[in-house]
Amino acid sequence: MINDEYWMRYALAMAQCAALENEIPVGAVVVLNQQIIGYGWNRAISQHDATAHAEIMAIRRAGQTVGNYRLLEATLYVALEPCFMCAGALIHSRLKRVVYAAQDTKTGAVGSMLNLLQYPGVNHFVMAEGGCLADTCSQLLSDFFRYRRWQQKNIKQCKQAFDKR
């Protein structure tokens, strides 16, 4: 039996694609009937599009694959807890379930700051489970941001050295 960890590894592979593009390493896959019907990774920086989060990219592809924006019975696997925008997209796409790896204590809208998926008055409830491969994802994010800080420090030092000339 294929389990959540199996599919989350695909989401983490998508996160690696984001990191290779210097994007925040978040990846997502949409699974229906034991098949990936959509996938994506963060592309907001490269596409100059604030909505180009991994979840949105995966949901768009999934909708194209099935020919419908309603993704009933599908599960989204994502490396990081969805933000408010992405949680709204999960509701509107009628996903059955979302499984995320790491919590996002700053902007998470699936339990950390607020649980938008179970908010009274929404027209569809999405089941959510967190923590699947959380350590692996947290390490990936920590390594990425550590590298970005190192990179920015070195760029600053290069500029300062050049300005002294």
Side-chain angles (χ1 to χ4, degrees):
M1 176 85 179
I2 297 174
N3 62 16
D4 290 340
E5 194 172 300
Y6 175 86
W7 297 115
M8 186 61 75
R9 292 193 188 284
Y10 280 97
L12 291 174
M14 297 294 101
Q16 292 284 358
C17 293
L20 290 171
E21 292 183 359
N22 249 348
E23 299 274 358
I24 296 171
V26 178
V29 294
V30 178
V31 175
L32 179 66
N33 298 325
Q34 300 296 313
Q35 291 186 9
I36 294 175
I37 60 169
Y39 64 90
W41 58 88
N42 277 357
R43 311 280 316 270
I45 296 168
S46 63
Q47 292 192 2
H48 312 289
D49 180 356
T51 68
H53 288 197
E55 300 94 324
I56 303 295
M57 306 302 278
I59 289 169
R60 286 177 183 162
R61 276 200 172 97
Q64 292 298 313
T65 299
V66 299
N68 194 336
Y69 77 95
R70 292 177 181 233
L71 302 172
L72 301 169
E73 302 304 314
T75 298
L76 177 96
Y77 294 87
V78 62
L80 185 65
E81 179 182 355
C83 68
F84 288 89
M85 174 184 69
C86 293
L90 300 178
I91 294 166
H92 288 296
S93 64
R94 310 296 197 275
L95 282 159
K96 180 178 185 176
R97 186 169 165 251
V98 61
V99 178
Y100 61 91
Q103 283 186 308
D104 185 348
T105 57
K106 292 181 182 177
T107 63
V110 183
S112 289
M113 286 188 59
L114 172 76
N115 188 349
L116 189 60
L117 303 183
Q118 299 295 316
Y119 194 78
V122 296
N123 62 340
H124 177 77
F125 294 110
V126 179
M127 293 183 287
E129 295 176 40
C132 181
L133 297 179
D135 291 342
T136 304
C137 181
S138 294
Q139 187 64 54
L140 176 64
L141 288 160
S142 293
D143 291 348
F144 174 80
F145 285 113
R146 185 179 311 109
Y147 173 74
R148 288 282 292 264
R149 287 189 298 274
W150 174 85
Q151 191 178 39
Q152 291 302 313
K153 177 184 168 192
N154 285 311
I155 289 170
K156 184 178 178 181
Q157 288 174 348
C158 287
K159 287 179 181 178
Q160 288 172 345
F162 186 79
D163 289 343
K164 289 181 182 180
R165 292 182 53 186

